[in-house]
Amino acid sequence: MNIIEQRILRGPNRWSRLACLQTIVDAGELAGIVPTDIPHLADALHAQLPGMATRRGYASLAHAVEQVALELQNMAGTPVSLGLTSKVDATQWRIVVAYQREQVAVEAMALALDMVRAMARGEAHDWSERLAALREVAERGAIGTSTAAVVNAALARGIPALRLTDEANLFQLGWGSRQKRLQATVTGDTSTIAVGIASDKQLTKSLLDQGGIPVPKGGVATTADDALALATRLRFPVTVKPLDANQGKGVSTECADAATVRTAFDFARQYGRRVIVERCIEGRDYRLLVTGGKLAAASLRRPPSVTGDGASTVRELVDLENRNPARGEGHANILTRLRLDELALALLAKQGFTADSVVPAGVEVQLRGNANLSTGGTAEDVTGKVHPSTREMCIRAAQLIGLDVAGIDVICADISLCLREQRGAVIEVNAAPGIRMHEYPSHGRARNAGDAIVEAMFGDSDGRIPVIAVTGTNGKTTTSLMIAHAARLAGLRTGVTTTEGVFIDGHRIIDGDCAGYHSARTLLATPGVDIAVLETARGGILKRGLAFDRCAVAVVLNVSADHLGLDGVETVAELAAVKAVVANSAARAVVLNADDHLCVAMSAQVSADVERIFFSMDPDNPVRLRHLGNGGRAAYFQDHALILEDGSRRLELLRAERMPASLHGHARYNVANALAAAAALMGAGFTPAQTVAALSTFVSDRDSNPLRSNVYSARGVTIVVDYAHNPAAYAAMASMAQSLSGGRRIAVLTCPGDRRDADLLDIGHTCAEGFDELFVYEADPRGRASGETARTILDGARRAGKQEHLLHAIAPVSDAFTAAMERCQPGDVLVFACGSSATALRETARYVDSPAAAPAWAPSVHEATVPLE
C-alpha cells in the first residue's frame, strides 16, 4: 500500500466542514485482500494501540488505515473522530480523516499505512520509536494552555482564529480591518512601552508607588556585595529576584542571612544581569487578572509541595504526583511537573529533609519558595473574595503601567481584607499573564478568563468583515468584480480575488490565478480590507478547501460540464456537490440561479436560518414565482430591465442597455451575472441606489476584466475576446455573437488537453451549431499528442454536420487568428476564445493590439439615477 496523492484540506471541503487530510492510496499486492482474510489484524492493532479496542469491524484494509490514523492522532493529544473511506478504482482508495494539526495528521497517516501494511503481511515490528516521534511532533507544535483558552473563547463567540505559524503561539483573531493579533495573552492592543515597563520590575514598582499603590521597599544590585548591603538596610528577611525575568525564574524568598542572600543573588544572576532585593512581604501569594478595565479572576497560588504518607520518600512522592495526567512539561498542560533540582533540595534542607527522607503522614513539604504554576504550584479560585478596594487598586495598577491585560501579583494575609490595612503589597505586574490557574484551578470555581480577554478585545463584535463568495462554472470573475465595484463605490476598502489576481481597492497586489485558498487568506489577513469578494473556483475547493469557515453571502451562478474527469469529479452532479460547499458556507444569504436545477437543489441543503435569494433570466420561472409567493426575495430580467422583488414590492433597477458590461443588452450572460451581483448586494445589505451606481459604471474591458467579453472593432469586424473553455460558455458566446450582428459568426477556439474526449466533442458540436466557421488551435496539450485536441474538437463539429471547408485546425494561435481575420468581412463577428492562456492572446493578437483596433462601445460613465419610490 502506497500513497499516490495527498491533500491537506484546511477549510470546509467536499467531505466535511472540518479540516481534513485526503489521501489516495494504492493497495498494490494487497488489493484483493479483505480484513477477514487476516484474523490476527484486529488483535495486532489493539496490542499496539489500546484505543483500537473500540474500532473493530474494518470494511477494507483502507478502512483499517483510516481508523488507525484517527487513533494515532488521539494518542498524540490531538483528538479527532471523522473518517471516510471510499473506493477510487480496483486498486485505489480515498481515505479522509479530520485533523487538528496538519503535521500530526500527515505523520499519523504515514505511520498508519506502514502499520496496517506490515500487519497484513504478518511482519513483526517495534513501533515504539515512531509512536514516540509522533507524540514529539504533537508536543512541539502544541498551543499553550493560556493561548488555547483565549482562542477557544474566540471560536465560541464565532470569531475566526488563524494560527500564523505552526511553531509560535501567534494568532490572528478576526478578519481584515476587524482583526486582532494574539500571542499568548498579549494582544495587538498591548502597548510596547507598557510591556517594557512591566519587564522592568524596579520601574514598575516606582510607577505604582507614585500612584499610591503599596509595593515592597527595595533596590537594584549588580554585585553580591550590593545585594547584601541592600538586605542589611531593609532588614532581613528579603526577597531576591532578577530585574526582568518571568514565570518565577531565579526568585528566592525569605532570605534571612548573608549566606542565603549571596546564594540567591548568584541564582538570580542566571536569569538577568541586574537583581532586585526587596523587603519580604509576609502573607499568601495571590494572582489577580485584570482585562478591559475589569477584574476577571483571582487565584490563591500555593507553592509546589508534597504531603507525606509515612511510608514514601520525598522522591517517591514527587514521582507519584508527576504521574498526574494534568502535569507535564511546558505550558500546554494544566499543571507543571514537580522538579527535585538544586533549589528544591536546598529548600528541603531548610525543612529538615532530603530527597530520600520518608515524610511523616500529613506533613506538607514545600519544593519551591514561590507559587508560580510554571514551577509546579497549584491554585484556588478566590475571585468572589477580593476586597473591593483591592480590586480597584489592581485595576488602577494595570492602568498605571498601561496594560490592557495584566496579571497583578499580590502578597497579603487575606485577600478579602483591605490590602493597605493588612500591610500587603503589589509585588509585580505581568504583561503576559498565564491564565491556566484561572481556567483550571485545583480548588474552587473555574473562571472563563479567556473569554474575559476576548470580551475586552472585541466587545460585541465577531471580528468578521463581510465576505461574499462567488462560485459557478461560468461568470465568476465578472460577477465578483461587479460586486467589488459596488463595494468600492460605497466607500469600503474592498479586496477581491479572481483568476487574474488579488486586488485591494483596484490595485493588483498578486498576479496570476488567485481563485483559491491562499489568495483568499491573503485578503482576510490584510488589515486594510473592509469587505472581501472571493471568486471561489472548483480547483481551490478540491485542493485546499475554503479559506473561511463561513461567509456572509454565497453566490452559485450555474453548474455545467467542466473539468470533469479531474480530481475525482466524474459527473456534473459531483461537480455540483463541490460548488455546494460554498452555498453551505453562507451565514446570512445564499444567491442561487433559479434557471439551473442543480443550483435550485442546493437550497434544500442550506441551513434553515440562511435567506435564499433566487435570480432568473426568465420572468415566468416557477421556482422564482413560488419563492416570491412565500415571501422571499429575488432578482430577475423582464422587458429588458433588471428587477428586484420581495413578493410585495417590485423595484426596477435599470435597463440592460445602461450596463456597459451587457454590450447594449447583447451579452445576456452578463445580464445574468449582473442579476446575481444585484441579488448578492441586496443580501449583503447594500441599497438599490448603490447597486445601480455599480452596474451602470462597471466596464468589462482588457484593463479591468481581461478575457471576459472584451469587445474591439478592427476593419469593420467586431472582435470579442473571451476566456470561454467549456460548452456552456461557447454557447453563450455564440448567442451573443448572433445578437451583435447579422453578418457571419467566426470562432477561433481551443480547450486544454486534459478535458475528456466527450467534453471536447461536445465543444465541437456546440460551436458547429453556433458559428459559421471554426478555427481550432492548440495552446496547452496537457498530456495529449500534438494536434489531438484540435482533431477531437473538429470531429465533434463534423458529427454536428458542419461542412469540412468551414473547419480548420491551425496549431499556432497567431496563425489561427490571422487566418480567421482574413476570412472576415465587414459586419462579421469574430469570437477569439483564449481557453488556456492569456499570454498567448497578449503575444499574438496583433489585430486587437494594433493602433487600427479600438474598443467597441467604449462607454461613458453614467451617473446613477434610480427611481426608488
Side-chain angles (χ1 to χ4, degrees):
M1 299 176 74
N2 297 302
I3 294 177
I4 303 300
E5 178 189 284
Q6 197 165 68
R7 291 182 174 178
I8 298 171
L9 306 175
R10 293 182 174 129
N13 54 78
R14 183 182 178 187
W15 315 112
S16 172
R17 303 294 299 168
L18 303 173
C20 293
L21 177 71
Q22 173 185 288
T23 306
I24 306 295
V25 300
D26 192 312
E29 79 279 7
L30 299 176
I33 297 177
V34 294
T36 53
D37 294 334
I38 313 169
H40 65 275
L41 179 61
D43 291 336
L45 289 173
H46 180 217
Q48 292 290 336
L49 309 171
M52 294 298 293
T54 60
R55 298 178 183 273
R56 295 174 181 263
Y58 314 118
S60 64
L61 289 182
H63 182 226
V65 172
E66 168 209 306
Q67 291 296 303
V68 173
L70 292 172
E71 181 58 29
L72 287 170
Q73 292 187 75
N74 292 344
M75 286 181 60
T78 56
V80 288
S81 59
L82 174 72
L84 301 168
T85 297
S86 58
K87 204 160 191 178
V88 177
D89 57 30
T91 64
Q92 292 185 3
W93 295 82
R94 179 185 296 106
I95 304 172
V96 177
V97 293
Y99 71 82
Q100 286 192 32
R101 291 196 45 240
E102 292 178 9
Q103 193 57 40
V104 175
V106 171
E107 298 288 343
M109 180 59 67
L111 178 53
L113 194 61
D114 289 345
M115 291 180 75
V116 172
R117 179 171 50 209
M119 293 176 186
R121 293 172 176 170
E123 299 171 356
H125 282 276
D126 180 3
W127 303 101
S128 57
E129 286 190 11
R130 291 189 63 182
L131 290 170
L134 180 64
R135 292 190 185 94
E136 288 178 9
V137 170
E139 289 171 3
R140 273 201 307 272
I143 302 170
T145 307
S146 294
T147 309
V150 182
V151 171
N152 290 336
L155 293 173
R157 285 172 170 252
I159 299 169
L162 172 65
R163 192 175 188 179
L164 297 180
T165 72
D166 285 338
E167 295 79 24
N169 279 341
L170 177 62
F171 281 81
Q172 173 187 317
L173 303 182
W175 292 333
S177 58
R178 296 180 184 174
Q179 69 176 274
K180 302 282 188 178
R181 293 286 177 87
L182 175 79
Q183 188 165 37
T185 55
V186 176
T187 78
D189 296 328
T190 303
S191 162
T192 303
I193 294 177
V195 173
I197 293 171
S199 298
D200 187 325
K201 292 179 174 58
Q202 186 61 29
L203 178 57
T204 297
K205 287 171 55 179
S206 297
L207 292 179
L208 296 181
D209 187 38
Q210 292 174 22
I213 293 175
V215 294
K217 296 186 179 300
V220 179
T222 55
T223 68
D225 289 341
D226 290 342
L228 184 56
L230 275 169
T232 302
R233 187 165 66 249
L234 293 169
R235 298 180 183 177
F236 296 101
V238 294
T239 295
V240 180
K241 57 187 177 183
L243 179 71
D244 53 5
N246 57 15
Q247 300 174 4
K249 296 173 183 174
V251 177
S252 300
T253 60
E254 298 183 1
C255 299
D257 53 42
T260 55
V261 167
R262 290 186 180 277
T263 300
F265 178 86
D266 292 339
F267 178 52
R269 279 293 298 268
Q270 297 177 28
Y271 298 95
R273 188 174 58 85
R274 294 188 296 168
V275 174
I276 286 182
V277 179
E278 61 187 22
R279 179 173 294 166
C280 186
I281 304 295
E282 294 184 0
R284 293 178 164 187
D285 187 337
Y286 295 93
R287 163 63 65 84
L288 285 77
L289 177 69
V290 173
T291 177
K294 300 176 182 178
L295 177 67
S299 294
L300 167 61
R301 299 190 294 184
R302 292 189 173 90
S305 64
V306 291
T307 301
D309 58 8
S312 304
T313 66
V314 173
R315 193 184 309 278
E316 290 169 340
L317 292 170
V318 168
D319 290 342
L320 180 63
E321 175 59 26
N322 281 338
R323 292 175 197 163
N324 181 346
R327 291 194 182 271
E329 297 295 342
H331 295 281
N333 302 281
I334 296 172
L335 295 173
T336 303
R337 290 174 62 85
L338 302 179
R339 292 192 291 271
L340 268 180
D341 54 14
E342 184 177 335
L343 194 62
L345 294 175
L347 188 56
L348 281 173
K350 285 184 179 181
Q351 300 169 82
F353 296 103
T354 69
D356 297 315
S357 298
V358 174
V359 183
V363 173
E364 184 179 13
V365 179
Q366 287 194 6
L367 302 175
R368 275 290 189 280
N370 63 67
N372 295 71
L373 263 67
S374 57
T375 61
T378 59
E380 175 187 344
D381 176 68
V382 294
T383 307
K385 300 178 180 179
V386 178
H387 191 275
S389 67
T390 303
R391 180 180 63 244
E392 295 305 317
M393 188 178 293
C394 288
I395 293 171
R396 194 154 52 87
Q399 294 170 342
L400 286 168
I401 303 305
L403 290 171
D404 59 325
V405 180
I408 314 295
D409 290 343
V410 173
I411 300 292
C412 64
D414 188 345
I415 199 68
S416 66
L417 303 177
C418 174
L419 187 66
R420 194 179 301 278
E421 290 178 1
Q422 59 182 313
R423 297 195 177 183
V426 172
I427 61 169
E428 283 187 22
V429 177
N430 299 274
I435 60 174
R436 55 179 171 161
M437 71 183 77
H438 308 302
E439 295 270 342
Y440 308 101
S442 301
H443 304 283
R445 174 184 166 187
R447 302 288 173 170
N448 197 341
D451 187 70
I453 293 174
V454 174
E455 168 72 24
M457 294 172 71
F458 288 94
D460 295 332
S461 170
D462 63 4
R464 296 172 183 266
I465 60 171
V467 171
I468 301 176
V470 181
T471 194
T473 301
N474 295 309
K476 297 185 294 295
T477 297
T478 298
T479 305
S480 297
L481 291 176
M482 286 177 171
I483 296 170
H485 183 59
R488 286 187 64 199
L489 290 182
L492 298 173
R493 294 174 295 177
T494 304
V496 58
T497 62
T498 73
T499 50
E500 293 299 315
V502 178
F503 302 82
I504 297 178
D505 271 351
H507 302 289
R508 191 196 309 263
I509 64 169
I510 301 176
D511 195 5
D513 188 344
C514 296
Y517 177 92
H518 293 290
S519 303
R521 277 293 187 194
T522 296
L523 279 189
L524 297 178
T526 301
V529 173
D530 298 326
I531 183 172
V533 184
L534 307 175
E535 178 179 345
T536 308
R538 168 210 66 91
I541 299 171
L542 292 171
K543 290 174 183 175
R544 284 289 178 266
L546 299 182
F548 45 89
D549 58 339
R550 66 177 190 263
C551 58
V553 179
V555 181
V556 187
L557 298 170
N558 42 62
V559 183
S560 63
D562 193 17
H563 297 89
L564 298 182
L566 302 174
D567 301 310
V569 178
E570 303 295 332
T571 67
V572 177
E574 290 177 342
L575 181 61
V578 175
K579 306 289 186 184
V581 174
V582 177
N584 292 331
S585 72
R588 178 170 177 172
V590 59
V591 174
L592 298 170
N593 186 347
D595 302 328
D596 187 315
H597 73 280
L598 291 171
C599 290
V600 173
M602 294 179 194
S603 176
Q605 306 173 29
V606 177
S607 176
D609 59 351
V610 173
E611 180 186 11
R612 280 81 164 157
I613 304 176
F614 286 100
F615 71 94
S616 174
M617 290 292 288
D618 177 7
D620 298 319
N621 180 283
V623 172
R624 180 188 65 80
L625 292 174
R626 190 162 51 248
H627 182 64
L628 289 173
N630 292 328
R633 296 194 290 178
Y636 61 98
F637 189 56
Q638 185 175 40
D639 298 329
H640 305 287
L642 284 75
I643 297 169
L644 296 181
E645 188 171 349
D646 62 7
S648 61
R649 184 169 179 263
R650 181 180 181 278
L651 174 66
E652 180 177 311
L653 286 176
L654 77 171
R655 296 182 64 80
E657 56 266 27
R658 284 192 57 202
M659 292 171 32
S662 77
L663 307 181
H664 290 302
H666 296 293
R668 285 178 60 85
Y669 49 87
N670 270 351
V671 175
N673 292 336
L675 286 172
L681 291 166
M682 178 169 62
F686 287 78
T687 67
Q690 290 170 325
T691 299
V692 173
L695 296 180
S696 62
T697 58
F698 175 76
V699 178
S700 181
D701 59 17
R702 182 177 60 183
D703 295 324
S704 64
N705 194 16
L707 301 180
R708 270 73 182 180
S709 298
N710 307 151
V711 182
Y712 299 85
S713 178
R715 299 189 330 202
V717 177
T718 298
I719 304 167
V720 182
V721 180
D722 197 88
Y723 187 62
H725 59 279
N726 56 57
Y730 278 116
M733 288 294 104
S735 176
M736 179 269 299
Q738 183 176 14
S739 178
L740 273 177
S741 172
R744 296 172 73 242
R745 301 181 304 279
I746 296 175
V748 181
L749 67 141
T750 188
C751 187
D754 59 358
R755 303 309 196 261
R756 303 174 306 175
D757 283 356
D759 301 321
L760 298 179
L761 291 169
D762 197 7
I763 287 173
H765 190 283
T766 300
C767 290
E769 292 184 336
F771 296 96
D772 298 302
E773 194 164 357
L774 307 182
F775 292 80
V776 184
Y777 68 96
E778 288 199 357
D780 194 352
R782 299 190 185 181
R784 288 184 180 266
S786 177
E788 183 183 353
T789 300
R791 286 195 298 271
T792 307
I793 292 174
L794 290 175
D795 190 30
R798 293 185 187 97
R799 295 182 187 185
K802 185 65 75 177
Q803 297 178 6
E804 195 66 37
H805 73 280
L806 299 175
L807 303 175
H808 314 277
I810 303 177
V813 60
S814 55
D815 291 352
F817 184 81
T818 298
M821 282 296 296
E822 289 174 353
R823 296 282 289 179
C824 287
Q825 300 295 323
D828 290 347
V829 176
L830 187 152
V831 172
F832 184 5
C834 190
S836 60
S837 173
T839 303
L841 168 64
R842 297 184 185 112
E843 291 179 350
T844 61
R846 58 181 181 273
Y847 285 91
V848 170
D849 289 337
S850 68
W857 301 319
S860 59
V861 175
H862 299 285
E863 293 293 331
T865 56
V866 195
L868 293 179
E869 277 74 30

